[in-house]
Structure formats: structure tokens, C-alpha cells
Amino acid sequence: MKNLAFLLSLLISGLLFSQGNSVVVNGKTNVNTFKCTHDKFNQASNNYSFKKDQLPYLQLEVNHFDCKNRIMTQDLRKTLKADHFPTMYVRFLSFQKVSEKQYTATIEVKLTGKIRNYTTSFYPVNNTLVGREYVRFSDFGLKAPTKMGGMIVVEDQLNLILTLNHL
């Protein structure tokens, strides 16, 4: 059942973003959820190759994340220290086909000068590959933001969804 819910969320994400590449950060507070999207990055051809010697290397300007709410967008940028670390990097270190409908990748995420590696499953959805990984603010030495004197608290865990057009 858990895998079915995961695949459905990937399908929905893939349908929403099947026209281009995107990185989506989903998070929760004690009162609400939020979604911040970054879709302002592209390779010259707008498609990525997953061949061993041509794996994607994404450079994401932190100020291009958009939460569709000015205050939330500012809070995310401030939390990610965009003034001191304006770029987030996602480098694919390996990429392997597991089955007809699943791939596994080792990705390196660099944020605030800190690097963490994750092993992530990717699934083909409408000419894209969609992968989801859970990351934590604390993985990168960041403290999850709070508002209103601590009455609103953002959870440490974020859901990172990568949608990439592929050749």
C-alpha cells in the first residue's frame, strides 16, 4: 500500500511537471503544508542523459525557488542562507536500471557548503524520470524555521521531488 501511494504521488508530480524539469520541495508545519518549486534550470537541449559519462549535474539558484506565497518563499530562502550560499547543487554520481519501470541513482546534494549523498529511486512518467528523496534541514546544519514566537514550527524533514526530461 505504501508503494502504491508513493507511485501515485510520483505520477501526479510527473503529470504536473511533465512539460519540463523541476525540483519540488514539500514540507509541513504544525498547522499546514507547503510546496516550493524550482523550474528555472535547463540543459541546452532541455533533456538530460543518464549515460555513465553524461550524468546530470544541476545547479539551482536558491532565489529561484517559489512557494507561491511571498512570505514562505522569503523564509525558505533565508533558511537556506541564499545570501551566503546562492546555489544548491544536485549531482548524479550513478544511475542504474533496476527494472523496466524503476531506476536507482546515487545523488549528491550540496547545500550551504555541506554535501550529503542519497540513494534514490526514479520512475519513468510521461517522458520524464521522477524521483523522490526525504532530506532534513539538519542534514545541512540548518535549523527548521519557526514563526510567531514558536507557535508555527516547520518540520525538519522535507520531501524533495526531482522531475527530469530524459533523452
Side-chain angles (χ1 to χ4, degrees):
M1 186 67 160
K2 188 176 182 180
N3 285 338
L4 178 61
F6 174 69
L7 289 174
L8 286 174
S9 71
L10 288 179
L11 178 62
I12 291 167
S13 296
L15 291 173
L16 292 174
F17 298 103
S18 63
Q19 299 303 315
N21 301 308
S22 68
V23 174
V24 175
V25 176
N26 291 312
K28 293 180 185 178
T29 70
N30 56 329
V31 295
N32 207 352
T33 61
F34 62 91
K35 175 179 177 176
C36 303
T37 304
H38 189 306
D39 59 4
K40 291 180 174 56
F41 65 96
N42 289 311
Q43 187 168 298
S45 68
N46 201 32
N47 292 307
Y48 290 92
S49 171
F50 289 87
K51 295 177 184 171
K52 187 174 184 174
D53 59 340
Q54 300 174 352
L55 293 173
Y57 180 57
L58 312 177
Q59 297 181 34
L60 308 168
E61 297 302 316
V62 174
N63 283 328
H64 288 167
F65 277 99
D66 183 5
C67 304
K68 304 295 183 213
N69 176 303
R70 186 179 53 82
I71 293 171
M72 290 184 77
T73 299
Q74 288 175 344
D75 285 348
L76 177 70
R77 293 172 182 173
K78 181 179 176 183
T79 300
L80 298 182
K81 300 181 180 182
D83 291 344
H84 294 97
F85 301 98
T87 308
M88 171 184 173
Y89 302 92
V90 178
R91 178 190 312 257
F92 283 70
L93 302 175
S94 68
F95 191 81
Q96 299 173 338
K97 189 172 190 173
V98 176
S99 69
E100 192 61 34
K101 302 269 184 194
Q102 183 180 359
Y103 300 84
T104 298
T106 301
I107 59 172
E108 174 186 273
V109 178
K110 183 177 180 183
L111 181 64
T112 65
K114 293 178 178 52
I115 297 172
R116 298 292 180 261
N117 291 344
Y118 301 93
T119 300
T120 306
S121 293
F122 282 80
Y123 300 88
V125 179
N126 295 337
N127 297 321
T128 64
L129 289 173
V130 180
R132 177 172 79 175
E133 185 60 50
Y134 288 99
V135 299
R136 296 182 178 280
F137 285 112
S138 57
D139 290 348
F140 300 96
L142 300 171
K143 185 176 180 192
T146 61
K147 292 302 249 180
M148 297 178 65
M151 290 178 58
I152 300 175
V153 180
V154 175
E155 289 184 6
D156 188 38
Q157 182 171 281
L158 300 168
N159 180 1
L160 179 69
I161 300 173
L162 299 166
T163 303
L164 300 174
N165 292 331
H166 66 89
L167 297 173

